[in-house]
Amino acid sequence: MHIKPSYEELEEKIKRLESSSFVESLKQDIKINEIFLKKLFDTIPNPIFYKDINGVYQHCNDAFSKTILGIPKEKIIGKTLYDLEEFIPKEYADIYHEKDQELFLAVKEQFYEGKVKCADEKIRCYQFYKSTFVVDGEILGLVGLMLDVSDYKKTLNELDEKNKLLSSLSITDHLTGLYNRRYFQNIIDKKTNLLSRHNYQFYFALIDIDFFKDYNDAYGHHKGDIALQEVSNVLKEILNRQTDYVFRVGGEEFAIIFEVDNKDNAISIMENLRKKVEDLKIIACNSTICNYLTISIGLGYIKKASPDANSDQIYDEVDKLLYESKDNGRNQITTRDIIV
């Protein structure tokens, strides 16, 4: 059975609550909690701030005042973004202000990245975590926390660059800087698939440096490597469009896959290439055809392929054209339409 306290008992309880010792104890507890929260707030290494509905800073921690603005809290609290233009560039203030307005108009949270000019004059990348501050259904302002991700972003960028480099190295011939045989196979297979399925057409050339073995034997591999690099530079110089692919597919053998409007243009490009290599004036060891190193070229206009055709068949057909050039005296181009 529940017995209600008497009037006298209630009066006694009220007197105890009103006693100075109880009030002082309660005030002491509140003060301790405030000190604890303030200490906790300032101990957190990430910048934290609180703004009221008008965008006025009401509080911030040491990390925000010292790291971000480099001024005491007293010079921040009571100010808006635009009152701190000496420390917050207007272009940044405009971005922050626009984001803040979203939180003042509706109860929501925000997460975004932004650049911040810090107290040490360095521009750093921060992730912002912000939320509308609501009491009894009324929006009073917003709270925000900032996380410095500059080092993280830098590491990601470095990793991305390294991945790009590794990817490039995996498809590049280390001596000449041209694409390697592995990548050639990848591209020629794709082109062949397009050829058989979509009536796609392209030009494919095989190039061989004439009497290069004799050159290597006479002058040594170091001189041979230099000659290969010089010839490769000519190939890169002439075939430099986005649709041009130049490969080193063997010791002194190169492959080119490219697209032009007609056969005359294709032959013109190959003839220009042949002359440019001869114009390098690299002294030849075997001078039966020329005093300088020259190249022989087999050029195929790849017009059509059956559904079961493969890239090896195309390669073999163009290789035959290359050997015709060599058998007919070298330093020349042999061309033909190819249908497999």
Side-chain angles (χ1 to χ4, degrees):
M1 180 178 178
H2 180 68
I3 301 175
K4 292 183 178 180
S6 65
Y7 176 79
E8 290 78 10
E9 289 173 326
L10 289 173
E11 192 176 41
E12 181 64 26
K13 285 184 177 181
I14 291 171
K15 286 180 180 180
R16 287 202 304 271
L17 288 172
E18 291 177 343
S19 67
S20 59
S21 61
F22 178 81
V23 172
E24 288 302 318
S25 175
L26 185 59
K27 287 181 178 179
Q28 183 67 17
D29 288 343
I30 293 173
K31 184 177 180 180
I32 290 172
N33 285 336
E34 286 180 347
I35 293 172
F36 169 75
L37 290 173
K38 182 178 181 299
K39 189 68 175 177
L40 176 64
F41 202 60
D42 283 333
T43 301
I44 295 173
N46 302 104
I48 303 175
F49 54 87
Y50 165 60
K51 299 179 184 179
D52 66 18
I53 192 70
N54 297 312
V56 176
Y57 284 102
Q58 296 298 319
H59 195 53
C60 65
N61 65 352
D62 287 343
F64 184 84
S65 64
K66 294 177 181 178
T67 305
I68 304 301
L69 299 184
I71 56 177
K73 295 178 192 174
E74 293 75 21
K75 292 188 177 181
I76 300 172
I77 295 171
K79 306 286 181 61
T80 69
L81 288 164
Y82 296 106
D83 294 329
L84 298 164
E85 59 183 351
E86 182 182 349
F87 310 99
I88 304 175
K90 186 178 183 302
E91 61 268 26
Y92 293 162
D94 288 341
I95 295 171
Y96 305 149
H97 175 75
E98 185 178 345
K99 292 286 188 182
D100 290 350
Q101 293 308 305
E102 295 178 11
L103 295 173
F104 295 148
L105 294 174
V107 178
K108 60 190 295 187
E109 294 181 345
Q110 286 179 346
F111 167 68
Y112 61 91
E113 282 188 7
K115 292 183 178 179
V116 177
K117 184 179 181 181
C118 299
D120 59 5
E121 298 295 321
K122 292 182 179 179
I123 305 296
R124 292 190 173 87
C125 186
Y126 276 87
Q127 287 180 344
F128 288 78
Y129 301 82
K130 294 161 66 177
S131 177
T132 305
F133 185 67
V134 182
V135 176
D136 296 332
E138 181 183 359
I139 296 176
L140 299 182
L142 64 84
V143 291
L145 179 144
M146 300 164 63
L147 179 63
D148 186 353
V149 293
S150 303
D151 290 341
Y152 171 70
K153 298 286 283 188
K154 181 182 177 183
T155 300
L156 279 184
N157 290 335
E158 289 175 351
L159 184 60
D160 185 51
E161 288 301 316
K162 288 179 180 177
N163 284 335
K164 288 179 181 177
L165 177 60
L166 286 173
S167 176
S168 174
L169 290 174
S170 70
I171 63 173
T172 304
D173 175 64
H174 73 280
L175 176 65
T176 63
L178 301 177
Y179 292 128
N180 60 19
R181 180 66 186 246
R182 174 185 174 187
Y183 193 54
F184 164 75
Q185 196 61 53
N186 179 287
I187 296 298
I188 193 69
D189 286 344
K190 287 181 179 179
K191 297 286 187 181
T192 303
N193 287 334
L194 287 172
L195 181 72
S196 60
R197 295 181 182 181
H198 305 289
N199 198 31
Y200 172 84
Q201 299 171 341
F202 62 96
Y203 287 88
F204 172 35
L206 285 174
I207 299 167
D208 192 80
I209 301 177
D210 297 322
F211 300 119
F212 189 72
K213 184 178 182 304
D214 294 339
Y215 185 89
N216 252 345
D217 291 343
Y219 300 117
H221 288 284
H222 177 65
K223 283 276 192 181
D225 287 348
I226 293 174
L228 286 170
Q229 290 170 336
E230 291 189 40
V231 171
S232 298
N233 289 337
V234 170
L235 268 63
K236 284 186 281 190
E237 176 189 339
I238 293 176
L239 292 125
N240 56 15
R241 299 172 306 165
Q242 194 172 3
T243 55
D244 295 337
Y245 293 90
V246 185
F247 313 85
R248 183 188 179 198
V249 293
E252 69 272 19
E253 188 172 329
F254 304 89
I256 302 172
I257 295 174
F258 64 108
E259 300 170 23
V260 288
D261 295 335
N262 56 65
K263 190 185 295 184
D264 288 341
N265 286 341
I267 294 172
S268 177
I269 291 171
M270 292 299 103
E271 181 60 23
N272 186 27
L273 181 60
R274 187 194 65 77
K275 288 179 179 178
K276 287 278 188 180
V277 170
E278 188 174 331
D279 287 345
L280 289 172
K281 298 189 184 304
I282 301 172
I283 302 299
C285 175
N286 187 325
S287 58
T288 54
I289 56 173
C290 182
N291 291 328
Y292 307 113
L293 277 188
T294 59
I295 57 174
S296 295
I297 302 174
L299 172 64
Y301 176 33
I302 317 303
K303 294 185 66 173
K304 190 175 180 181
S306 61
D308 59 346
N310 59 62
S311 59
D312 289 342
Q313 292 171 285
I314 293 174
Y315 188 95
D316 289 343
E317 290 300 315
V318 176
D319 196 41
K320 291 175 184 176
L321 299 179
L322 171 61
Y323 273 89
E324 280 188 42
S325 290
K326 295 169 79 170
D327 291 341
N328 290 332
R330 305 177 191 259
N331 192 23
Q332 60 183 271
I333 305 164
T334 303
T335 183
R336 189 175 300 135
D337 292 353
I338 304 292
I339 298 175
V340 293

